[in-house]
Amino acid sequence: MTSSTDFASLPLSPEQLRNLDELGYQEMRPIQALSLPPILEGKDVLGQAETGSGKTLAFGLGIMQIINPRFFGAQAIVLCPTRELADQVAKELRKLARALGNIKVLTLCGGQALRPQIESLQHGAHIIVGTPGRVLDLVREQHLNLSQVKVFVLDEADRMMDMGFFEDISEISQATPLRRQTLFFSATFPEHVMRISEGFQRDPVRVQASTEAVNLNIEQAFFITTPESRFKDCAQLLNHYRPTSTLAFCNTKAQCELLAESLNQNGIVALALHGDMDQRDREDVLVQFANRSCSVLVATDVAARGLDIEALDAVMNVEVSPNVETHIHRIGRTGRKGEKGLALSLVTEKEKYRAERIGKAIEQELEWLEIPSAKKTKPLTPPMRTICLRSGKKEKLRAGDILGALTKELGLPGAAVGKINIYDFVSFVAIQRDLAEDTITRLRQGTIKGRQILMRFMDT
């Protein structure tokens, strides 16, 4: 007998069930178990779930149920706040689409060349995943026809509203049929998101995955600080605990910039991430942090949403969040996949009530420690450096071409080469820090795929 968390309990095709099994999805996560039954019945759904909770699989399976592979027109559209989230969603949907055969999933985002997207649309696509601004441009120019859309999905709805996309989303919605299924997923349901839902959805089923308990693999420690010494104490904690990769949270964009500047002055390689950055700058920052060329990423909660970064050694709450759920979500980014995690929180006397509220909510006694005294230590240096190459997918450059040039031609050991990211016109490769200078010098003297490519370090 199948359980209610078993995918086999859902009205899915044998091909899709087999595909899910091959993809390693054994049983439904809470948001999937709650939202999939009404989604598969064709109902509108308003789902509350954090990034990383499995919501893409939930709306993705709903989309796959309605797709007609023989009709090469847009039958489903998913709007996301950022290009990286759109790329993640599209990747997941392509995996689910394997059960249906030749399904085309097209990403349409700003910060990328418009002409190739227009040409791709001329050949047709079943599923569109994109950011509101670019999708609306293509709708207005009549390159994108949404008149046959059966499912309209807003992913991270609250964040899109915070980013000022309401009018764009409304206009896109008007280009889709009135009789369609509308799925909203959001980490929070503030009043303005609820109002939008009322305007877009018909009697939505509201589901909410319960907040997960704090991961017991995470070691939490709280430290009393003052507003004046907060940044200095942050650097001291990093130099004491020495995590390779830390996500540090501030509550405002201004604090992010100031902290990143302060850490760099203290010899700690840090980059800031916030909502005022353009897409290209944001991508540059994320590439360097994800491939371990930057020790600390300083971010606001809104900017950090949608990030999926593996192997995060520590989370630091430079300012404690006033919201308990936000705190749990922040620290839940460390200590994943059975690894030990570390969460360090700086708290002023005035903010102490926030920490006490967290302790009460998670039913744990908080560990209060003294800020360790400053000691002379080696600089906290990231293990890698990132080389940016002025060539990408459009010139048919592949990750294997870069890896081959580094390992076969230059003789670098495989362990010295980190992540390789290929975009339309640029590519990035992480190189072990002590070998990086020699590598870029030799790489410039040679060729990749038979031609010389301009390149530079990202941190210079």
Side-chain angles (χ1 to χ4, degrees):
M1 187 172 166
T2 56
S3 72
S4 60
T5 60
D6 193 326
F7 285 104
S9 66
L10 299 170
L12 297 172
S13 69
E15 292 78 15
Q16 190 60 269
L17 288 171
R18 194 158 48 246
N19 185 35
L20 289 169
D21 190 51
E22 286 168 6
L23 291 169
Y25 295 117
Q26 303 304 328
E27 59 177 39
M28 289 184 267
R29 294 172 71 179
I31 191 63
Q32 294 158 1
L34 290 166
S35 64
L36 268 165
I39 287 174
L40 295 173
E41 285 173 19
K43 293 176 179 173
D44 286 3
V45 169
L46 189 57
Q48 185 168 358
E50 297 280 8
T51 299
S53 60
K55 56 189 164 60
T56 308
L57 184 66
F59 64 71
L61 285 171
I63 287 171
M64 297 309 147
Q65 290 299 96
I66 60 92
I67 293 293
N68 174 2
R70 290 184 298 279
F71 174 60
F72 263 83
Q75 299 166 57
I77 180 163
V78 183
L79 295 181
C80 304
T82 65
R83 178 174 157 186
E84 15 350 313
L85 188 58
D87 285 338
Q88 283 175 35
V89 167
K91 198 172 170 185
E92 187 75 19
L93 294 180
R94 288 186 187 104
K95 290 178 189 172
L96 296 176
R98 292 195 318 213
L100 280 73
N102 188 25
I103 299 297
K104 186 173 175 186
V105 181
L106 187 60
T107 50
L108 301 174
C109 301
Q112 294 175 311
L114 189 60
R115 178 54 49 193
Q117 293 180 357
I118 293 169
E119 287 168 3
S120 292
L121 284 169
Q122 286 168 354
H123 296 104
H126 299 92
I127 302 166
I128 302 296
V129 183
T131 48
R134 177 54 57 89
V135 168
L136 183 56
D137 288 344
L138 290 162
V139 168
R140 283 175 173 168
E141 296 294 322
Q142 299 186 338
H143 296 298
L144 175 59
N145 182 347
L146 301 179
S147 65
Q148 301 300 312
V149 163
K150 297 172 189 170
V151 182
F152 181 46
V153 181
L154 283 195
D155 193 11
E156 306 246 356
D158 55 347
R159 187 169 166 209
M160 282 197 278
M161 296 308 117
D162 291 342
M163 291 166 78
F165 283 134
F166 171 66
E167 288 179 8
D168 289 2
I169 291 165
S170 296
E171 195 172 332
I172 294 165
S173 168
Q174 286 162 25
T176 66
L178 204 56
R179 302 295 295 176
R180 54 151 207 261
Q181 184 180 25
T182 307
L183 308 175
F184 271 30
F185 283 89
S186 185
T188 58
F189 282 137
E191 197 179 321
H192 56 286
V193 172
M194 297 305 292
R195 277 202 308 273
I196 292 157
S197 163
E198 286 166 16
F200 286 24
Q201 295 186 298
R202 295 188 311 273
D203 301 320
V205 177
R206 183 170 173 175
V207 297
Q208 180 176 352
S210 58
T211 303
E212 292 179 22
V214 173
N215 183 342
L216 296 176
N217 280 340
I218 300 170
E219 177 193 341
Q220 280 207 77
F222 290 77
F223 303 85
I224 291 292
T225 187
T226 64
E228 299 75 31
S229 64
R230 201 191 291 266
F231 289 180
K232 178 175 70 71
D233 290 343
C234 177
Q236 223 150 291
L237 287 174
L238 289 165
N239 279 319
H240 177 78
Y241 286 95
R242 306 192 71 73
T244 302
S245 192
T246 301
L247 182 54
F249 284 98
C250 293
N251 292 341
T252 66
K253 298 166 190 172
Q255 286 284 78
C256 284
E257 291 282 7
L258 290 168
L259 176 59
E261 195 179 316
S262 171
L263 290 175
N264 281 302
Q265 285 169 359
N266 278 283
I268 296 170
V269 180
L271 293 169
L273 185 75
H274 54 71
D276 283 350
M277 297 170 74
D278 67 30
Q279 187 64 33
R280 186 172 171 182
D281 289 342
R282 183 181 165 86
E283 275 174 5
D284 286 356
V285 166
L286 290 176
V287 161
Q288 290 178 79
F289 185 61
N291 70 21
R292 293 151 59 97
S293 298
C294 152
S295 297
V296 184
L297 180 64
V298 188
T300 57
D301 292 297
V302 168
R305 291 259 293 282
L307 295 189
D308 188 18
I309 293 163
E310 297 169 18
L312 197 55
D313 299 309
V315 166
M316 180 170 289
N317 295 299
V318 182
E319 297 173 278
V320 177
S321 171
N323 182 290
V324 173
E325 282 193 17
T326 300
H327 176 85
I328 293 169
H329 183 54
R330 281 179 177 183
I331 70 170
R333 293 166 178 275
T334 182
R336 289 183 172 178
K337 296 181 181 174
E339 296 290 319
K340 281 282 179 195
L342 179 66
L344 308 171
S345 299
L346 287 164
V347 187
T348 64
E349 286 290 352
K350 278 187 177 176
E351 295 164 346
K352 211 169 176 185
Y353 74 96
R354 291 181 183 174
E356 285 160 0
R357 191 194 295 156
I358 289 164
K360 201 174 287 184
I362 64 176
E363 297 178 348
Q364 283 182 18
E365 195 167 323
L366 303 184
E367 185 177 15
W368 291 91
L369 300 176
E370 296 281 323
I371 300 276
S373 54
K375 289 179 186 170
K376 277 223 164 192
T377 56
K378 285 183 184 174
L380 183 62
T381 312
M384 313 296 274
R385 284 186 80 183
T386 302
I387 297 173
C388 172
L389 297 92
R390 287 280 297 276
S391 183
K393 286 179 193 169
K394 296 297 175 185
E395 285 90 19
K396 303 281 189 277
L397 187 68
R398 297 169 307 150
D401 300 324
I402 297 173
L403 187 62
L406 292 166
T407 55
K408 289 178 186 167
E409 292 171 37
L410 299 190
L412 254 66
V417 183
K419 282 193 173 184
I420 299 174
N421 299 82
I422 311 281
Y423 293 98
D424 283 351
F425 300 104
V426 291
S427 303
F428 303 97
V429 57
I431 303 292
Q432 191 176 301
R433 184 163 287 269
D434 58 345
L435 301 175
E437 287 284 359
D438 179 58
T439 298
I440 199 169
T441 302
R442 291 165 65 206
L443 209 50
R444 281 170 172 156
Q445 290 165 355
T447 62
I448 300 175
K449 231 182 172 181
R451 55 199 174 82
Q452 282 199 311
I453 295 174
L454 289 172
M455 59 189 76
R456 65 179 176 86
F457 281 120
M458 294 287 287
D459 55 4
T460 53

